[in-house]
Amino acid sequence: MKKIVLKSIIALLLIMTYSCDEDNSPIFVAQPDINGILITNSFASNYLISEETKDNIADRIIWESADFGVATNITYEIQGSIDPTFATSEVIGSTNENNFAITIANLLSFANQLALDDDPNTTDTAGLPNNVGQFFIRIKANVGTADNLETFSEFATINITWIEQVLTNTCNSLYVLGAG
């Protein structure tokens, strides 16, 4: 009887040792999103900007989620550039959501890069006021925190007009009310 118990224990230990060699749990591998990211909202034809309104929200960019084939954390980065090829770009912000608020301060940053201003006396090389310009934004998505499997949206064009300052108290009074 002791031999049967001993052989059973040895057989059980051998089975337990070899049963742990293979991991049968499913393995998920993220795949690149071949469709890219689709920006779903439309933008205004022109955004009026000024230093006085820099804390206001200009617009909210909304997009569809990137599909990497598995449930995973996706980090979205909102990028802006004055160059449509995005050879150089600036990160406007990042989120794990499908929308992001763009402020007037973000638009003013690109207006400064475009050398726009609110002075009615300055002009561009063509003699036109230099308060109108455009820049481009796009969405970059990647899996996790590293730049692995990144995908991009098409770029959207944002037109901006910096409201020119009007000088006050520059006109002399044309008439004065009398007493009575």
Side-chain angles (χ1 to χ4, degrees):
M1 182 75 170
K2 289 182 182 180
K3 287 186 178 185
I4 294 174
V5 171
L6 185 59
K7 287 182 181 180
S8 298
I9 291 175
I10 292 173
L12 183 62
L13 288 174
L14 286 173
I15 291 171
M16 288 174 46
T17 303
Y18 289 108
S19 67
C20 295
D21 283 347
E22 292 184 32
D23 187 9
N24 292 331
S25 62
I27 297 174
F28 297 104
V29 178
Q31 301 296 320
D33 185 359
I34 57 173
N35 296 328
I37 303 168
L38 177 64
I39 297 175
T40 58
N41 66 312
S42 56
F43 296 99
S45 60
N46 193 31
Y47 292 91
L48 301 175
I49 60 174
S50 68
E51 287 289 337
E52 292 80 12
T53 61
K54 67 182 176 186
D55 295 328
N56 294 351
I57 294 175
D59 208 337
R60 182 168 295 277
I61 184 169
I62 303 169
W63 60 89
E64 290 184 2
S65 295
D67 182 13
F68 292 104
V70 294
T72 184
N73 293 333
I74 301 173
T75 303
Y76 297 100
E77 188 176 276
I78 297 80
Q79 299 178 338
S81 177
I82 58 174
D83 177 16
T85 64
F86 283 82
T88 60
S89 65
E90 175 182 315
V91 175
I92 297 173
S94 65
T95 183
N96 294 327
E97 303 293 325
N98 290 50
N99 64 79
F100 186 82
I102 299 172
T103 63
I104 298 292
N106 298 131
L107 303 183
L108 285 168
S109 172
F110 290 103
N112 287 324
Q113 289 179 33
L114 291 165
L116 303 181
D117 64 29
D118 61 353
D119 185 1
N121 296 322
T122 58
T123 59
D124 62 10
T125 56
L128 299 172
N130 67 334
N131 67 330
V132 176
Q134 67 180 12
F135 71 97
F136 310 93
I137 61 171
R138 71 179 180 183
I139 309 298
K140 172 186 164 187
N142 58 20
V143 176
T145 57
D147 286 338
N148 297 327
L149 297 176
E150 60 188 26
T151 186
F152 295 93
S153 69
E154 294 291 323
F155 69 83
T157 304
I158 306 293
N159 297 307
I160 53 177
T161 300
W162 200 323
I163 299 172
E164 293 184 335
Q165 297 293 322
V166 178
L167 299 176
T168 57
N169 297 330
T170 58
C171 286
N172 294 330
S173 297
L174 298 178
Y175 60 91
V176 178
L177 293 177

